[in-house]
Amino acid sequence: MNKKILVTGATGYIGSHTLVDLIEQGYEAVSLDNESNSSKDVLDAVKEITGYRCPHHTVDLCDYNDTREVFLQHGEIKGIIHFAALKAVGESVGQPLRYYENNLVSLLNILKLSQEFNVEAFVFSSSCTVYGDVSTSPVDENTPWQEAASPYGQTKQMGEKIIENVIPTTNIKAINLRYFNPAGAHPCGLIGESPRNAPQNLVPVITETAIGKRKDMTVFGDDYSTRDGSCIRDYIHVCDLAHAHTLALDYIFSKKQNKPVEVFNLGIGDGLSVLEIIRTFEEVTGESLNYRIGPRRPGDVVAIFSNYEKAKKELGWSPQYNVKDIMKTAWIWEKNRQKLLNI
Ligand code: WQD
């Protein structure tokens, strides 16, 4: 029997791409999401890509009893991939209580249930925001943390601390995956970033501006101490991220993990500025982007990019897509999404 994996936040951006990879790698995926910022309709596309229809539960992880029902229904859940969380850095600055409650209560509930139902593997969606406003990059997994620059980043720091302290008291092995900036879409063009609420992160803002859904976009500051004054990030293709989750489960199930908790950076190991990303988009698509320079966004760090050598060595993971692939696939998805919505 294929190992059954419960994916929380499964109908979201990284979740849906991870469902595809899990199924293609032979896992039996179960989808759970409260659909507050996504739709279970994406599972139709996952089925079109993989031929497999994931069972789905529209459940809020903050409701312990509803979540426990899912474990009771599914019996042998061997692994958890925990994506479900609110994740907009800028938004979290204005809504800290909502972010702390949602992201922490859901984590505590899923950990309690994982222990009660003898889950073996727990993969946590962490983030480079745990490093805070670092002064140098690349950062590796031992880079000391600065104060997280936003409530979102603090929930990821607290999440990792909770996992570090809880997991050794259980029979579970856990892996924290620290994503840098997820972007792009599945090359088949059937799934991509499709939040219910207007996206706030850079790449979908660029594609929405280019397709005319937004009349213009703002570069949040060009007076930072970087090569062109705009912030620097490490953009990683969502399909590369997705595959890392499958490799993390393989790593635990193949008994390669000795420590109760392991941590891995997931990025391409290089940084591009906001203005460089915009230029890459224009070069790859031939579109010209209507943007203006505006004030800095609270909660932003100046520059951060990854050292991913540990994931390469331990998980056998390395990114297969580059930033031009990110822009190409993001643009194809934006155009397809427009067609789908206009049906
Ligand atoms: C990137 C840069 C903005 C929008 C992301 C995810 C978060 C976490 C960490 C995984 C910043 C600038 C943006 C716009 C802009 N990932 N920008 N105009 O804040 O790095 O956080 O990575 O957990 O979930 O959101 O990503 O795309 O919002 O911003 O100038 O309209 O683009 O100021 O410098 P961020 P982002």
Side-chain angles (χ1 to χ4, degrees):
M1 271 297 280
N2 296 338
K3 291 187 188 300
K4 192 178 279 188
I5 309 298
L6 177 63
V7 182
T8 75
T11 57
Y13 174 42
I14 307 172
S16 53
H17 288 77
T18 301
L19 287 179
V20 169
D21 198 87
L22 282 172
I23 297 160
E24 288 175 346
Q25 300 300 323
Y27 286 101
E28 186 182 341
V30 175
S31 165
L32 182 155
D33 202 300
N34 67 2
E35 297 185 72
S36 64
N37 194 24
S38 64
S39 162
K40 63 178 181 294
D41 294 352
V42 73
L43 299 177
D44 297 336
V46 172
K47 181 173 186 307
E48 197 172 335
I49 299 168
T50 65
Y52 178 73
R53 167 152 310 267
C54 291
H56 174 74
H57 302 271
T58 301
V59 163
D60 186 336
L61 288 180
C62 291
D63 185 319
Y64 179 83
N65 292 322
D66 282 358
T67 308
R68 189 166 187 275
E69 271 306 309
V70 175
F71 281 82
L72 290 171
Q73 271 184 48
H74 281 284
E76 284 288 285
I77 289 174
K78 291 285 184 199
I80 303 277
I81 302 181
H82 180 46
F83 289 111
L86 297 171
K87 63 108 185 162
V89 172
E91 180 185 62
S92 76
V93 174
Q95 303 177 35
L97 203 52
R98 177 174 171 237
Y99 270 69
Y100 292 137
E101 182 178 31
N102 181 76
N103 291 5
L104 298 177
V105 172
S106 53
L107 174 62
L108 293 171
N109 284 344
I110 196 73
L111 281 173
K112 275 190 263 184
L113 289 164
S114 295
Q115 183 172 22
E116 180 185 348
F117 287 88
N118 305 310
V119 165
E120 290 173 34
F122 188 92
V123 178
F124 176 59
S125 164
S126 188
S127 163
C128 61
T129 44
V130 302
Y131 294 109
D133 202 354
V134 291
S135 48
T136 56
S137 276
V139 296
D140 67 30
E141 290 80 359
N142 299 315
T143 297
W145 291 1
Q146 307 301 317
E147 170 80 16
S150 66
Y152 163 78
Q154 285 161 6
T155 67
K156 292 301 181 182
Q157 286 184 333
M158 292 183 234
E160 287 206 21
K161 289 284 176 211
I162 289 167
I163 289 167
E164 284 287 346
N165 291 322
V166 167
I167 292 296
T169 67
T170 71
N171 296 321
I172 303 167
K173 287 276 190 309
I175 289 180
N176 295 328
L177 295 178
R178 291 177 184 162
Y179 313 154
F180 282 69
N181 282 54
H186 194 283
C188 73
L190 294 175
I191 56 174
E193 199 154 9
S194 46
R196 276 190 195 283
N197 317 312
Q200 297 175 43
N201 37 325
L202 182 63
V203 174
V205 167
I206 287 174
T207 57
E208 288 193 351
T209 304
I211 207 160
K213 275 173 89 170
R214 298 169 183 237
K215 65 179 180 26
D216 66 9
M217 64 165 284
T218 304
V219 171
F220 295 137
D222 68 346
D223 56 351
Y224 286 97
S225 53
T226 63
R227 50 186 178 263
D228 65 13
S230 62
C231 291
I232 288 176
R233 295 287 186 278
D234 176 331
Y235 295 89
I236 178 76
H237 197 283
V238 64
C239 290
D240 282 325
L241 270 186
H243 190 52
H245 292 77
T246 309
L247 292 176
L249 289 174
D250 295 346
Y251 187 72
I252 294 173
F253 290 133
S254 60
K255 310 290 183 210
K256 287 184 185 154
Q257 181 163 328
N258 303 317
K259 289 160 67 177
V261 183
E262 277 295 0
V263 180
F264 296 100
N265 280 345
L266 297 176
I268 57 164
D270 188 12
L272 282 180
S273 74
V274 177
L275 292 169
E276 288 166 342
I277 283 284
I278 289 175
R279 267 201 296 285
T280 305
F281 176 80
E282 292 182 325
E283 178 197 320
V284 157
T285 62
E287 300 289 329
S288 125
L289 209 61
N290 185 15
Y291 69 90
R292 58 194 169 81
I293 306 293
R296 296 182 175 190
R297 180 176 72 175
D300 274 338
V301 303
V302 183
I304 187 166
F305 59 91
S306 68
N307 171 321
Y308 68 88
E309 285 309 308
K310 186 180 173 191
K312 189 172 177 182
K313 180 166 166 285
E314 301 290 330
L315 300 180
W317 177 83
S318 60
Q320 303 304 303
Y321 296 87
N322 61 33
V323 178
K324 289 186 176 177
D325 297 323
I326 286 177
M327 291 310 174
K328 271 182 215 146
T329 54
W331 184 227
I332 290 166
W333 168 245
E334 187 64 60
K335 288 186 287 187
N336 288 354
R337 195 179 175 210
Q338 195 81 322
K339 266 186 267 166
L340 290 170
L341 293 175
N342 292 345
I343 285 171

